[in-house]
Amino acid sequence: MALTNLTYKEYEAWIPDLPRTVQHQLYGSFKNYMSSLVFGIKPKRWFVRAWVPLKVLRVHQDGSMKGDKGAPVVLDFKGNTIKLRQVCKNKPRYVIELPMPNWVIERVNEDGDIKFAMIGLRDNEPYLALVAERVVEPYQPSNYMLVIDVNAWSNGVAWGLIRDGSIIRWKPERPRLSEIETLYSLSIRLSREYGRLKRLGLHKTVEGRRLWQEIKRVRRKLYAKLRDYVQKLVRRLVRKALRHRALVIIDDMLEESRRELLEEKIPSGLRKLYLAYTRRFVRLLITQLEWYGVPYDFKRLPSTVCPICKRSLTQLPGRIMVCESCGFKAPRDLVPIHWALRSKNV
Ligand SMILES: [Zn+2]
């Protein structure tokens, strides 16, 4: 991937022991290898191991075009389709049309460009990966800092905005846990019911099939809710950082979150789900910050240690933390923001 990226940025990359087939893909002509890209046959070994870069032609709404006119991948923003030419069958003018994903349109509207695509196998299925890039304007950090403390979903994400060394706003963000927990317990209850039918050999009956469809529907709804929440929260935080030209500090203590969830005796399936979406949140946040060129840094911001005298804090009911030695007192979600405030780079 990295090599392809460099090559398409017109660097010449020399790697010893690079398989000849890959070398040809990078520096030679694609044409001779088109037949290797036929789907539906057993892929050749190099196809499994290496992703193949394909040139992309972009046809914009005003009819202007960018890229090689003979490119095998065409992104058509007039008809919002992706056309794969001659890729799936080595026949002249053979075209497959795919719908254009929304994110591609969004990235292009944000002055992004897709100069190349990669084709390869993901989970043994042919997969076309579009690589969006954008020339990022230099980001001039201001006197703002946005601190993002990532907990497991049950305690959400706390953010704080710091200006000139003081906290001007902070907020813990949580998804609607009751909705998620209701869907989760419903899916568990239905799965148990399905298990019971299966043991009786009745899972292929009309009732069994209907139940299975219902389980799938509940799970889809549950995942969609979590995914939607992650996306909206990331978007909101990135906008906040951009608006204030803030430097972003992230604490993603996933291990601590896991322990916290264990303490709270959350069912293990739900715990896994919360952790998976916490990781997803961090990944998406980083991707978006990088896309917009927002500088960020990871920092350890403890929530159980006093930010003033560094002794252990005691937790009172309502997630209030107090320091018995210096008298510091704050909601648990605010403690990490206090740590960021006192860190040297502010
Ligand atoms: Zn203290």
Side-chain angles (χ1 to χ4, degrees):
M1 288 281 281
L3 182 63
T4 308
N5 222 317
L6 282 172
T7 307
Y8 267 75
K9 284 179 178 153
E10 282 153 13
Y11 287 93
E12 208 168 310
W14 292 98
I15 311 288
D17 306 326
L18 187 71
R20 278 182 73 91
T21 42
V22 177
Q23 221 156 32
H24 280 295
Q25 289 296 336
L26 291 173
Y27 305 115
S29 118
F30 284 119
K31 258 195 169 152
N32 305 335
Y33 288 88
M34 278 307 184
S35 56
S36 312
L37 292 175
V38 175
F39 291 176
I41 60 156
K42 213 171 171 192
K44 295 192 170 149
R45 197 199 277 159
W46 64 266
F47 191 45
V48 178
R49 290 174 49 188
W51 283 62
V52 182
L54 300 174
K55 289 179 181 171
V56 174
L57 172 70
R58 287 85 75 201
V59 182
H60 291 285
Q61 264 174 351
D62 59 4
S64 63
M65 288 191 218
K66 254 199 234 163
D68 188 338
K69 292 213 168 89
V73 181
V74 182
L75 299 185
D76 178 1
F77 293 101
K78 270 157 78 184
N80 278 337
T81 52
I82 298 176
K83 289 178 191 133
L84 290 174
R85 298 198 288 213
Q86 226 181 322
V87 172
C88 299
K89 216 182 244 175
N90 191 23
K91 241 198 233 165
R93 285 191 224 127
Y94 182 83
V95 177
I96 300 191
E97 270 196 28
L98 307 162
M100 181 86 75
N102 272 337
W103 71 265
V104 177
I105 299 167
E106 280 168 24
R107 293 297 89 83
V108 169
N109 287 341
E110 287 163 349
D111 296 328
D113 197 6
I114 292 159
K115 290 183 183 154
F116 71 94
M118 305 275 291
I119 200 161
L121 293 179
R122 199 164 86 168
D123 302 328
N124 274 323
E125 296 282 343
Y127 189 86
L128 182 76
L130 299 172
V131 185
E133 52 182 68
R134 175 175 180 253
V135 179
V136 174
E137 298 160 40
Y139 185 93
Q140 293 291 340
S142 60
N143 47 351
Y144 281 88
M145 195 163 86
L146 179 66
V147 185
I148 300 172
D149 182 45
V150 183
N151 303 302
W153 280 122
S154 49
N155 290 316
V157 168
W159 61 264
L161 196 61
I162 295 176
R163 187 184 58 203
D164 297 325
S166 54
I167 301 168
I168 53 171
R169 258 201 307 283
W170 77 281
K171 200 179 163 209
E173 306 271 0
R174 284 183 186 99
R176 265 194 221 138
L177 293 178
S178 60
E179 265 180 28
I180 286 162
E181 274 154 29
T182 309
L183 284 170
Y184 178 78
S185 23
L186 180 59
S187 92
I188 293 294
R189 201 160 51 77
L190 295 175
S191 301
R192 279 201 192 118
E193 177 71 6
Y194 187 76
R196 194 181 59 83
L197 287 181
K198 203 169 181 179
R199 279 192 300 278
L200 297 170
L202 295 173
H203 60 295
K204 297 278 184 214
T205 58
V206 176
E207 190 197 351
R209 282 175 207 274
R210 199 173 291 151
L211 190 57
W212 180 240
Q213 290 305 321
E214 179 64 8
I215 292 171
K216 284 207 291 195
R217 195 189 62 83
V218 171
R219 283 188 190 157
R220 266 202 305 273
K221 205 168 156 190
L222 175 63
Y223 301 148
K225 269 214 175 352
L226 284 161
R227 198 171 51 232
D228 195 48
Y229 182 77
V230 164
Q231 278 169 356
K232 282 191 179 138
L233 185 56
V234 164
R235 180 167 283 218
R236 214 142 47 78
L237 290 170
V238 171
R239 291 236 165 105
K240 207 180 286 297
L242 281 170
R243 197 162 52 238
H244 298 290
R245 302 257 131 202
L247 166 72
V248 175
I249 302 290
I250 307 162
D251 183 2
D252 70 336
M253 269 313 282
L254 294 171
E255 190 45 38
E256 189 176 287
S257 311
R258 200 180 64 84
R259 274 201 306 273
E260 215 181 327
L261 285 174
L262 279 171
E263 279 166 29
E264 287 174 19
K265 298 189 177 63
I266 288 172
S268 78
L270 192 57
R271 192 165 66 222
K272 276 189 197 131
L273 206 60
Y274 280 152
L275 278 171
Y277 279 87
T278 309
R279 285 194 201 98
R280 193 182 178 126
F281 170 81
V282 176
R283 269 204 311 271
L284 194 64
L285 180 65
I286 300 308
T287 313
Q288 295 229 348
L289 290 174
E290 282 176 359
W291 173 261
Y292 289 105
V294 178
Y296 65 89
D297 207 355
F298 281 95
K299 228 172 235 166
R300 184 72 201 93
L301 306 168
S303 58
T304 53
V305 181
C306 176
I308 295 162
C309 70
K310 301 190 172 56
R311 296 211 177 118
S312 272
L313 293 170
T314 311
Q315 183 160 340
L316 301 180
R319 285 170 67 83
I320 300 288
M321 306 303 279
V322 286
C323 175
E324 277 157 13
S325 96
C326 75
F328 171 86
K329 187 174 176 186
R332 184 166 172 151
D333 291 323
L334 191 56
V335 179
I337 322 285
H338 274 286
W339 270 97
L341 191 64
R342 278 160 184 79
S343 70
K344 279 192 186 131
N345 296 351
V346 190

